[in-house]
Amino acid sequence: MTTTSAQETEGLFQLPTEVEEFRQSARAFAEREVAPLVDEAERTSTFPVQLFKRAGDLGLLGLQFDPEWGGAGAGLLPDLIFREEVSRVCAGIAAGLGIQGQIGTAYLARHGSSEQKDRWLRPALAGDLITAWALTEPDAGSDVRAIRTRVSRDGDTFILNGRKTFITNGPTAGAIGVVARQSDDRFAVFVVEAGDEGFECERVLEKLGCRSSQVGELVFDNVRLDESRRLSPPEGSSIEAILDVLIRGRVLIAAASLGVASAAFDMGLAYAKEREAFGRPIGRFQEISMKFAEADARIAAARLLTYRAAHLCDTRDAVPIRECAQAKLIASETALWVVDQMMRVFGGMGFMRGSPIERLYRDVRYFQIVEGTTEIQHRILAKELGL
Ligand SMILES: Cc1cc2nc3c(=O)[nH]c(=O)nc-3n(C[C@H](O)[C@H](O)[C@H](O)COP(=O)(O)OP(=O)(O)OC[C@H]3O[C@@H](n4cnc5c(N)ncnc54)[C@H](O)[C@@H]3O)c2cc1C
């Protein structure tokens, strides 16, 4: 049996000092740059696009990507801390920034040529170009193999036809990674630019929560693209190869869930100490204090799973599918449970439009849907277990 030193054991449960220090910078960005914009952005359902540039200037977009293209080469863990801290202040704004610097540019960062990275990744990470990732269609969400958007060759060029929906940053994006069917069982990823003939964002969708992230329905009507737009290999890819890059995105959704759960917890705790009933603060009633005890433990457990998954993503060659699914499942469901409990702590005040917990109650529903629903995480885990 091998022995583990006390220091190494501690390392299993604590983030590296530099990552904790980075958390302070991420929190400062969230509180100073994001927080003042939240009310207006949520009220008007508009993403404050100036934040892309601000985050890019501060090197906060693409923390996990190669420094050659403007990333920080810091791995997934700091990126996750950034997502957690911004989500603590506003899940919608964090979602828009997350597509830009994390999920939407991941395929380009992995598979793009130097010319393609120079053209789209570098300006995206600098905050000069807004990006989106378009996979979901009206008739194909969880069932990604059912997508109908099709790309076909026409001489030296390609023609793209189809429709994508629920696309974050779709209404404002300058470059969109579009997943299309190339043949019966091969898929391709092409970059469509705003202004390409035949492409339009047909409508901006109204949402229950995360209102400050803009989501659109995109139409591709005989969009003609040259070879420089193709990110995938000429023979196409299996859908698994395309999704492989996105699995790490599940950990980022887990981190965002932690941010919202922590925000709800802090808000609820302050209220429980201040609000009085029957001559004492409500937090002194066991029925209320137990909610905090339980939430504290559940958030801590979700946090450990999330950081472990990120650590494994950073240190293993193979994507840790099982650990990513565990983290996404537990963190997103924990956030839902915590926000629900905190709503109860706020009583009637929580039900009032405009109360801070009311926004979290709407926003938290996002996490059980994106990057694979809860049911899809169950399927992934069951499959990993041979069921
Ligand atoms: C705010 C928001 C932003 C988004 N941003 C993007 C984006 O930027 N880019 C993008 O491509 N997509 C985006 N999406 C789409 C998102 O990824 C899909 O909504 C998600 O994958 C679920 O697909 P669906 O909505 O079609 O639901 P469906 O797949 O129709 O699922 C409906 C229900 O059936 C369940 N279900 C489906 N299949 C199974 C199964 N095999 N076993 C058990 N249960 C099953 C689901 O869990 C769910 O409960 C976004 C969605 C939202 C809400």
Side-chain angles (χ1 to χ4, degrees), residues 181-197:
R181 182 178 292 282
Q182 182 167 321
S183 65
D184 281 353
D185 61 350
R186 303 300 281 174
F187 297 84
V189 181
F190 277 76
V191 175
V192 171
E193 293 185 331
D196 280 342
E197 207 178 324

PDB file of all heavy atoms in Angstrom, residues 181-197:
ATOM      1  N   ARG A 181     -25.254  18.016 -40.953  1.00  0.00           N
ATOM      2  CA  ARG A 181     -25.129  16.641 -41.453  1.00  0.00           C
ATOM      3  C   ARG A 181     -24.441  16.684 -42.815  1.00  0.00           C
ATOM      4  O   ARG A 181     -24.822  17.461 -43.691  1.00  0.00           O
ATOM      5  CB  ARG A 181     -26.533  16.045 -41.578  1.00  0.00           C
ATOM      6  CG  ARG A 181     -26.585  14.621 -42.046  1.00  0.00           C
ATOM      7  CD  ARG A 181     -28.030  14.138 -42.082  1.00  0.00           C
ATOM      8  NE  ARG A 181     -28.586  14.023 -40.743  1.00  0.00           N
ATOM      9  CZ  ARG A 181     -28.342  13.009 -39.907  1.00  0.00           C
ATOM     10  NH1 ARG A 181     -27.545  12.030 -40.280  1.00  0.00           N
ATOM     11  NH2 ARG A 181     -28.878  12.969 -38.712  1.00  0.00           N
ATOM     12  N   GLN A 182     -23.420  15.845 -42.968  1.00  0.00           N
ATOM     13  CA  GLN A 182     -22.683  15.803 -44.230  1.00  0.00           C
ATOM     14  C   GLN A 182     -23.118  14.600 -45.074  1.00  0.00           C
ATOM     15  O   GLN A 182     -23.126  14.647 -46.292  1.00  0.00           O
ATOM     16  CB  GLN A 182     -21.184  15.726 -43.906  1.00  0.00           C
ATOM     17  CG  GLN A 182     -20.270  15.713 -45.083  1.00  0.00           C
ATOM     18  CD  GLN A 182     -18.815  15.961 -44.659  1.00  0.00           C
ATOM     19  OE1 GLN A 182     -18.540  16.770 -43.771  1.00  0.00           O
ATOM     20  NE2 GLN A 182     -17.883  15.268 -45.277  1.00  0.00           N
ATOM     21  N   SER A 183     -23.453  13.504 -44.379  1.00  0.00           N
ATOM     22  CA  SER A 183     -23.999  12.320 -45.052  1.00  0.00           C
ATOM     23  C   SER A 183     -24.870  11.624 -44.016  1.00  0.00           C
ATOM     24  O   SER A 183     -25.122  12.178 -42.946  1.00  0.00           O
ATOM     25  CB  SER A 183     -22.865  11.408 -45.527  1.00  0.00           C
ATOM     26  OG  SER A 183     -22.173  10.905 -44.406  1.00  0.00           O
ATOM     27  N   ASP A 184     -25.284  10.395 -44.302  1.00  0.00           N
ATOM     28  CA  ASP A 184     -26.180   9.723 -43.353  1.00  0.00           C
ATOM     29  C   ASP A 184     -25.583   9.620 -41.952  1.00  0.00           C
ATOM     30  O   ASP A 184     -26.272   9.790 -40.960  1.00  0.00           O
ATOM     31  CB  ASP A 184     -26.516   8.313 -43.860  1.00  0.00           C
ATOM     32  CG  ASP A 184     -27.588   8.386 -44.943  1.00  0.00           C
ATOM     33  OD1 ASP A 184     -28.116   9.501 -45.147  1.00  0.00           O
ATOM     34  OD2 ASP A 184     -27.852   7.359 -45.582  1.00  0.00           O
ATOM     35  N   ASP A 185     -24.261   9.338 -41.886  1.00  0.00           N
ATOM     36  CA  ASP A 185     -23.674   9.134 -40.556  1.00  0.00           C
ATOM     37  C   ASP A 185     -22.431   9.989 -40.299  1.00  0.00           C
ATOM     38  O   ASP A 185     -21.697   9.740 -39.354  1.00  0.00           O
ATOM     39  CB  ASP A 185     -23.340   7.647 -40.358  1.00  0.00           C
ATOM     40  CG  ASP A 185     -22.338   7.166 -41.391  1.00  0.00           C
ATOM     41  OD1 ASP A 185     -22.074   7.930 -42.351  1.00  0.00           O
ATOM     42  OD2 ASP A 185     -21.819   6.048 -41.243  1.00  0.00           O
ATOM     43  N   ARG A 186     -22.179  10.979 -41.145  1.00  0.00           N
ATOM     44  CA  ARG A 186     -21.026  11.866 -40.912  1.00  0.00           C
ATOM     45  C   ARG A 186     -21.527  13.295 -40.732  1.00  0.00           C
ATOM     46  O   ARG A 186     -22.481  13.730 -41.397  1.00  0.00           O
ATOM     47  CB  ARG A 186     -20.034  11.829 -42.081  1.00  0.00           C
ATOM     48  CG  ARG A 186     -19.512  10.461 -42.410  1.00  0.00           C
ATOM     49  CD  ARG A 186     -18.779   9.800 -41.261  1.00  0.00           C
ATOM     50  NE  ARG A 186     -17.418  10.273 -41.073  1.00  0.00           N
ATOM     51  CZ  ARG A 186     -16.641   9.900 -40.056  1.00  0.00           C
ATOM     52  NH1 ARG A 186     -17.105   9.085 -39.119  1.00  0.00           N
ATOM     53  NH2 ARG A 186     -15.412  10.343 -39.965  1.00  0.00           N
ATOM     54  N   PHE A 187     -20.840  14.004 -39.838  1.00  0.00           N
ATOM     55  CA  PHE A 187     -21.266  15.363 -39.494  1.00  0.00           C
ATOM     56  C   PHE A 187     -20.103  16.329 -39.697  1.00  0.00           C
ATOM     57  O   PHE A 187     -18.941  15.907 -39.721  1.00  0.00           O
ATOM     58  CB  PHE A 187     -21.762  15.399 -38.046  1.00  0.00           C
ATOM     59  CG  PHE A 187     -22.966  14.526 -37.837  1.00  0.00           C
ATOM     60  CD1 PHE A 187     -22.827  13.159 -37.586  1.00  0.00           C
ATOM     61  CD2 PHE A 187     -24.239  15.050 -37.940  1.00  0.00           C
ATOM     62  CE1 PHE A 187     -23.937  12.339 -37.428  1.00  0.00           C
ATOM     63  CE2 PHE A 187     -25.362  14.244 -37.782  1.00  0.00           C
ATOM     64  CZ  PHE A 187     -25.208  12.880 -37.526  1.00  0.00           C
ATOM     65  N   ALA A 188     -20.429  17.604 -39.844  1.00  0.00           N
ATOM     66  CA  ALA A 188     -19.392  18.600 -40.109  1.00  0.00           C
ATOM     67  C   ALA A 188     -19.649  19.846 -39.269  1.00  0.00           C
ATOM     68  O   ALA A 188     -20.773  20.087 -38.821  1.00  0.00           O
ATOM     69  CB  ALA A 188     -19.411  18.968 -41.592  1.00  0.00           C
ATOM     70  N   VAL A 189     -18.584  20.624 -39.044  1.00  0.00           N
ATOM     71  CA  VAL A 189     -18.740  21.913 -38.363  1.00  0.00           C
ATOM     72  C   VAL A 189     -18.200  22.999 -39.292  1.00  0.00           C
ATOM     73  O   VAL A 189     -17.052  22.913 -39.750  1.00  0.00           O
ATOM     74  CB  VAL A 189     -17.968  21.946 -37.021  1.00  0.00           C
ATOM     75  CG1 VAL A 189     -18.179  23.285 -36.324  1.00  0.00           C
ATOM     76  CG2 VAL A 189     -18.402  20.797 -36.117  1.00  0.00           C
ATOM     77  N   PHE A 190     -19.044  23.976 -39.588  1.00  0.00           N
ATOM     78  CA  PHE A 190     -18.662  25.104 -40.441  1.00  0.00           C
ATOM     79  C   PHE A 190     -18.865  26.406 -39.671  1.00  0.00           C
ATOM     80  O   PHE A 190     -19.730  26.482 -38.793  1.00  0.00           O
ATOM     81  CB  PHE A 190     -19.540  25.144 -41.698  1.00  0.00           C
ATOM     82  CG  PHE A 190     -19.055  24.218 -42.791  1.00  0.00           C
ATOM     83  CD1 PHE A 190     -19.270  22.846 -42.704  1.00  0.00           C
ATOM     84  CD2 PHE A 190     -18.371  24.718 -43.889  1.00  0.00           C
ATOM     85  CE1 PHE A 190     -18.817  21.991 -43.698  1.00  0.00           C
ATOM     86  CE2 PHE A 190     -17.909  23.873 -44.889  1.00  0.00           C
ATOM     87  CZ  PHE A 190     -18.132  22.499 -44.800  1.00  0.00           C
ATOM     88  N   VAL A 191     -18.071  27.410 -40.025  1.00  0.00           N
ATOM     89  CA  VAL A 191     -18.270  28.726 -39.408  1.00  0.00           C
ATOM     90  C   VAL A 191     -19.085  29.592 -40.361  1.00  0.00           C
ATOM     91  O   VAL A 191     -18.722  29.764 -41.531  1.00  0.00           O
ATOM     92  CB  VAL A 191     -16.923  29.417 -39.096  1.00  0.00           C
ATOM     93  CG1 VAL A 191     -17.165  30.835 -38.574  1.00  0.00           C
ATOM     94  CG2 VAL A 191     -16.129  28.600 -38.084  1.00  0.00           C
ATOM     95  N   VAL A 192     -20.198  30.105 -39.843  1.00  0.00           N
ATOM     96  CA  VAL A 192     -21.022  31.054 -40.600  1.00  0.00           C
ATOM     97  C   VAL A 192     -20.802  32.426 -39.976  1.00  0.00           C
ATOM     98  O   VAL A 192     -20.758  32.549 -38.744  1.00  0.00           O
ATOM     99  CB  VAL A 192     -22.519  30.654 -40.531  1.00  0.00           C
ATOM    100  CG1 VAL A 192     -23.405  31.738 -41.126  1.00  0.00           C
ATOM    101  CG2 VAL A 192     -22.732  29.325 -41.250  1.00  0.00           C
ATOM    102  N   GLU A 193     -20.624  33.427 -40.821  1.00  0.00           N
ATOM    103  CA  GLU A 193     -20.407  34.779 -40.297  1.00  0.00           C
ATOM    104  C   GLU A 193     -21.671  35.620 -40.475  1.00  0.00           C
ATOM    105  O   GLU A 193     -22.416  35.436 -41.452  1.00  0.00           O
ATOM    106  CB  GLU A 193     -19.229  35.442 -41.020  1.00  0.00           C
ATOM    107  CG  GLU A 193     -17.899  34.754 -40.698  1.00  0.00           C
ATOM    108  CD  GLU A 193     -16.701  35.472 -41.310  1.00  0.00           C
ATOM    109  OE1 GLU A 193     -16.859  36.120 -42.363  1.00  0.00           O
ATOM    110  OE2 GLU A 193     -15.606  35.365 -40.724  1.00  0.00           O
ATOM    111  N   ALA A 194     -21.878  36.546 -39.548  1.00  0.00           N
ATOM    112  CA  ALA A 194     -23.001  37.480 -39.690  1.00  0.00           C
ATOM    113  C   ALA A 194     -22.784  38.203 -41.014  1.00  0.00           C
ATOM    114  O   ALA A 194     -21.666  38.576 -41.341  1.00  0.00           O
ATOM    115  CB  ALA A 194     -22.994  38.471 -38.538  1.00  0.00           C
ATOM    116  N   GLY A 195     -23.815  38.359 -41.794  1.00  0.00           N
ATOM    117  CA  GLY A 195     -23.653  39.033 -43.084  1.00  0.00           C
ATOM    118  C   GLY A 195     -23.526  38.054 -44.233  1.00  0.00           C
ATOM    119  O   GLY A 195     -23.636  38.449 -45.399  1.00  0.00           O
ATOM    120  N   ASP A 196     -23.298  36.763 -43.948  1.00  0.00           N
ATOM    121  CA  ASP A 196     -23.283  35.774 -45.028  1.00  0.00           C
ATOM    122  C   ASP A 196     -24.670  35.746 -45.669  1.00  0.00           C
ATOM    123  O   ASP A 196     -25.690  35.694 -44.953  1.00  0.00           O
ATOM    124  CB  ASP A 196     -22.959  34.368 -44.484  1.00  0.00           C
ATOM    125  CG  ASP A 196     -21.469  34.172 -44.239  1.00  0.00           C
ATOM    126  OD1 ASP A 196     -20.670  34.951 -44.792  1.00  0.00           O
ATOM    127  OD2 ASP A 196     -21.116  33.238 -43.490  1.00  0.00           O
ATOM    128  N   GLU A 197     -24.690  35.747 -46.996  1.00  0.00           N
ATOM    129  CA  GLU A 197     -25.979  35.754 -47.685  1.00  0.00           C
ATOM    130  C   GLU A 197     -26.750  34.468 -47.384  1.00  0.00           C
ATOM    131  O   GLU A 197     -26.174  33.372 -47.440  1.00  0.00           O
ATOM    132  CB  GLU A 197     -25.740  35.881 -49.197  1.00  0.00           C
ATOM    133  CG  GLU A 197     -26.903  36.526 -49.891  1.00  0.00           C
ATOM    134  CD  GLU A 197     -26.638  36.690 -51.379  1.00  0.00           C
ATOM    135  OE1 GLU A 197     -25.486  36.967 -51.747  1.00  0.00           O
ATOM    136  OE2 GLU A 197     -27.600  36.518 -52.144  1.00  0.00           O
TER     137      GLU A 197
END
